[in-house]
Amino acid sequence: MHKEGDEVQDDCGSREEWTLLFWTSLAVIVPVIITLWCSAQRSKRKTHMKDFFRKSKHGWHYTDLFNKPTYCCVCSQHILHGAFCDCCGVCADEHCLRRADRILTCKEIMAPCSPGGAMKHRWVRGNVPLASYCAVCKQQCGTQPKLCDFRCVWCQSTVHDDCMDSLPAADHCELGEFHNLIIPPHYLYRVNKLRRRHPEEYSKLAASCGSGWTPVLVLANTRSGNNMGEALLGEFRSILNPVQVFDLSELTPPKALQLCTLLPPGSVQVLVCGGDGTVGWVLDAIDSMKLKGQDQFMPRVTILPLGTGNDLSNTLGWGAGYAGEIPVEQVLRNILDAEVVKMDRWKVQVASKGLYFRKPKVLSMNNYFSVGPDALMALNFHTHREKTPSFFSSRIINKTVYFLYGTKDCLVQECKDLDKRIELELDGERVALPSLEGIIVCNIGYWGGGCRLWEGMGDEPCPPTRLDDGLLEVVGVFGSFHCAQIQVKMANPVRLGQAHTVRLVLKSSKMPMQVDGEPWAQGPCTITITHKTQAVMLYHSAEQTDDDDDESSASETESSSQH
């Protein structure tokens, strides 16, 4: 009897263990299966949505959370997540998205005028910008918690629902505050109808766009800076004609600049959103227009700095970096007020020793060429960013990494005895070098992320620098610690002179070099820097990046403008 009782008890215990094991396994496996299924569905939906967005005429962007109260333009319901068009501002929840795409038209980049020659408003209902006012009654719009009021996607005028009937029939769209920067859809429509594509014809058509019409093309590098490029593209598309806004990750500068050849000669401005490297890329594309015989269509260039080192932008008065501190409307106003200046561009030829049958490497230079510790820091930074690009997504992190490499070089001194390994000639005359670790050849006023290198602390008289004088400023540094002292105005560089042509001969070993932040390790060679061409730039004189340099910057600009 005891044995039978023990067996029954063992069977019950075993059954309970298996039951517990089953439910435990079920509790683990079911959530995993549900998670995998949801992930697969999300991935499938994302792929499906991406394909839908690509085929749509709207510039849809999906968001999990709108940053302000938003209402669907189809069902009028409040939505937290859905999609919005960054060109016309239409918003829709996920269920109404296809219907919105079908029944609501986007901005037309090319369209005829009305019979009278005027342009009609293109109204979109709801989700008007905060602090906007009715064009009829002058009272604030968009204050009710529902889909209400209208906004013109071209001139940005807003009108109450009740005031729409009071809007005069003769009220036409004048493209608003930035009409001088916008390419109207009727201009492109007329260009498309031209039988003879000639600059004179474009100038005649431009008369319908008003006097002082200087259209702007926006070229943005979405990989520069703190990944702000994509958001900026959407903001510019909402104000300008979407055809004027280009993503350089999808279209190269030479192709984007072909739009200049459909606009009146000498009227076009280009806003480059990116770092100094992106600006150089665009300026090279403008130079290639000369080779195609398109000199008369070459645009003027301005900068919205997004990168880490924005010395060219700083020199031209556009600041050391943009982080959204001013709205894009103010950026466009600054372009309208900017001055035209010319800037020298230089050709850097690198002829490696012993490779007589290979063509010299030819680079373009806008900012500076250097050999020594600052080039070494740039090379180390570039090498590690190539390995782990996701880590270098913040401007603060980038500058921290630069600081760490500079500290390391202070201890190691990899570039010491440079004066024994290199020869320097300025306009054909040999220069005796002190015991240096680096040589920097500058074209612009700023260097190293905001330091006015040639002037140093300003306690020693030196010839002035100009953007368009055909001269380069050549200085030497004693090492990374000396570079840091110069940047905080605790030391001066060694001024080696100014020259129209600079020649450096690296006699032995490898040395780090860079041109405008693009570094490489170079063996024995001869480097020759000569004048290449001049670029037409825009200077923002109303804003200075360093209060101590207001007077010198103003005099530099004045002399550049008069040249």
Side-chain angles (χ1 to χ4, degrees):
M1 292 291 292
H2 287 294
K3 287 183 179 180
E4 289 179 4
D6 291 341
E7 288 177 2
V8 171
Q9 193 173 0
D10 289 343
D11 288 341
C12 290
S14 177
R15 194 179 297 116
E16 287 177 1
E17 288 177 3
W18 279 105
T19 303
L20 181 63
L21 181 62
F22 171 77
W23 286 112
T24 303
S25 301
L26 201 63
V28 172
I29 293 170
V30 169
V32 170
I33 292 173
I34 293 173
T35 302
L36 291 174
W37 183 83
C38 291
S39 178
Q41 290 297 111
R42 193 182 297 113
S43 179
K44 184 179 178 182
R45 187 184 69 175
K46 194 174 181 181
T47 304
H48 188 66
M49 199 77 76
K50 198 172 182 180
D51 186 57
F52 168 69
F53 287 171
R54 190 177 68 251
K55 294 177 182 178
S56 173
K57 291 183 179 178
H58 283 274
W60 293 114
H61 289 268
Y62 192 84
T63 179
D64 288 322
L65 183 66
F66 286 97
N67 58 7
K68 65 175 184 176
T70 305
Y71 301 88
C72 177
C73 292
V74 176
C75 67
S76 303
Q77 297 300 310
H78 180 262
I79 52 175
L80 290 176
H81 59 86
F84 65 95
C85 174
D86 64 4
C87 296
C88 65
V90 166
C91 301
D93 61 33
E94 197 168 331
H95 300 294
C96 299
L97 189 55
R98 291 188 174 278
R99 190 167 175 227
D101 191 69
R102 188 172 63 254
I103 66 174
L104 300 174
T105 57
C106 193
K107 268 185 177 180
E108 291 182 299
I109 62 173
M110 184 170 63
C113 282
S114 60
M119 182 174 165
K120 293 181 179 179
H121 288 287
R122 166 71 180 85
W123 299 108
V124 169
R125 186 162 186 256
N127 303 307
V128 299
L130 301 174
S132 54
Y133 292 85
C134 178
V136 177
C137 69
K138 310 303 179 186
Q139 298 299 312
Q140 192 168 352
C141 287
T143 54
Q144 301 181 52
K146 63 177 183 178
L147 189 78
C148 62
D149 305 336
F150 291 86
R151 175 182 61 89
C152 175
V153 299
W154 287 106
C155 66
Q156 312 304 321
S157 296
T158 53
V159 179
H160 286 124
D161 290 331
D162 298 335
C163 296
M164 184 58 75
D165 293 335
S166 304
L167 200 66
D171 187 67
H172 299 293
C173 182
E174 302 292 342
L175 298 178
E177 179 184 0
F178 304 109
H179 61 276
N180 279 339
L181 300 178
I182 298 173
I183 301 176
H186 61 78
Y187 175 87
L188 293 176
Y189 180 82
R190 290 174 178 176
V191 167
N192 195 44
K193 294 290 183 182
L194 284 176
R195 293 184 179 180
R196 188 173 69 106
R197 297 284 181 92
H198 196 273
E200 292 179 2
E201 299 294 328
Y202 302 148
S203 299
K204 290 177 184 176
L205 292 181
S208 65
C209 301
S211 59
W213 184 51
T214 54
V216 63
L217 307 185
V218 179
L219 278 62
N221 186 349
T222 53
R223 297 171 186 172
S224 288
N226 298 336
N227 299 316
M228 289 188 62
E230 192 168 342
L232 281 170
L233 285 170
E235 293 187 56
F236 282 116
R237 286 192 191 105
S238 68
I239 297 173
L240 307 172
N241 190 328
V243 79
Q244 297 173 244
V245 184
F246 300 92
D247 183 350
L248 294 181
S249 66
E250 298 177 359
L251 198 71
T252 60
K255 291 182 179 178
L257 292 173
Q258 285 307 299
L259 183 56
C260 296
T261 62
L262 298 178
L263 297 166
S267 67
V268 186
Q269 304 173 107
V270 169
L271 172 62
V272 182
C273 305
D276 286 347
T278 306
V279 178
W281 190 18
V282 173
L283 291 176
D284 284 339
I286 292 173
D287 282 347
S288 69
M289 293 176 71
K290 285 185 179 181
L291 302 176
K292 297 177 182 177
Q294 298 171 344
D295 303 49
Q296 56 187 331
F297 295 109
M298 289 170 58
R300 303 182 289 277
V301 178
T302 183
I303 307 168
L304 186 63
L306 299 184
T308 303
N310 300 296
D311 293 302
L312 179 56
S313 170
N314 224 349
T315 300
L316 292 169
W318 298 104
Y322 178 78
E325 58 274 6
I326 60 173
V328 294
E329 290 86 355
Q330 187 58 48
V331 173
L332 295 174
R333 291 185 194 107
N334 291 342
I335 293 173
L336 288 169
D337 296 335
E339 306 170 28
V340 177
V341 297
K342 290 185 177 180
M343 182 188 75
D344 294 319
R345 301 193 71 220
W346 301 82
K347 180 171 70 173
V348 180
Q349 284 186 307
V350 183
S352 297
K353 189 175 180 181
L355 301 175
Y356 301 109
F357 300 104
R358 184 183 295 179
K359 287 185 178 180
K361 180 163 68 173
V362 179
L363 304 165
S364 295
M365 186 185 93
N366 304 309
N367 300 1
Y368 40 75
F369 164 87
S370 70
V371 52
D374 68 323
L376 179 62
M377 285 187 281
L379 182 60
N380 288 331
F381 176 85
H382 181 77
T383 302
H384 284 81
R385 185 170 61 176
E386 289 292 307
K387 291 179 181 177
T388 54
S390 58
F391 180 73
F392 297 89
S393 58
S394 165
R395 190 179 288 131
I396 295 174
I397 291 175
N398 294 350
K399 291 190 175 183
T400 303
V401 173
Y402 259 106
F403 172 76
L404 293 174
Y405 285 135
T407 305
K408 175 189 171 185
D409 188 59
C410 286
L411 302 173
V412 180
Q413 292 184 312
E414 293 183 38
C415 303
K416 63 180 179 180
D417 297 328
L418 178 72
D419 55 303
K420 298 175 183 176
R421 293 188 264 176
I422 206 164
E423 294 178 359
L424 173 67
E425 291 181 8
L426 301 182
D427 288 336
E429 293 186 12
R430 178 86 175 269
V431 177
L433 297 175
S435 181
L436 299 172
E437 284 191 32
I439 293 174
I440 304 166
V441 182
C442 288
N443 177 48
I444 61 175
Y446 283 90
W447 164 85
C451 167
R452 293 192 71 87
L453 183 65
W454 180 251
E455 287 87 351
M457 293 190 299
D459 56 355
E460 296 178 14
C462 61
T465 63
R466 275 172 43 177
L467 290 171
D468 62 347
D469 59 358
L471 285 172
L472 292 164
E473 286 72 44
V474 186
V475 302
V477 293
F478 295 118
S480 296
F481 186 67
H482 187 208
C483 288
Q485 286 180 309
I486 294 169
Q487 287 181 315
V488 296
K489 295 188 176 181
M490 291 180 63
N492 281 328
V494 180
R495 297 190 186 99
L496 301 173
Q498 292 178 299
H500 298 281
T501 302
V502 176
R503 187 170 177 266
L504 298 102
V505 180
L506 179 60
K507 296 180 286 187
S508 61
S509 72
K510 271 193 172 185
M511 288 293 291
M513 298 183 180
Q514 70 163 335
V515 172
D516 291 353
E518 296 298 324
W520 75 97
Q522 178 65 48
C525 65
T526 299
I527 297 148
T528 309
I529 306 175
T530 54
H531 192 269
K532 180 183 178 184
T533 184
Q534 281 191 329
V536 183
M537 310 295 289
L538 290 177
Y539 184 94
H540 180 39
S541 58
E543 180 179 318
Q544 296 294 336
T545 54
D546 190 340
D547 294 334
D548 296 335
D549 302 317
D550 285 354
E551 190 175 339
S552 62
S553 296
S555 63
E556 175 183 298
T557 309
E558 184 180 354
S559 61
S560 298
S561 303
Q562 293 173 352
H563 184 74

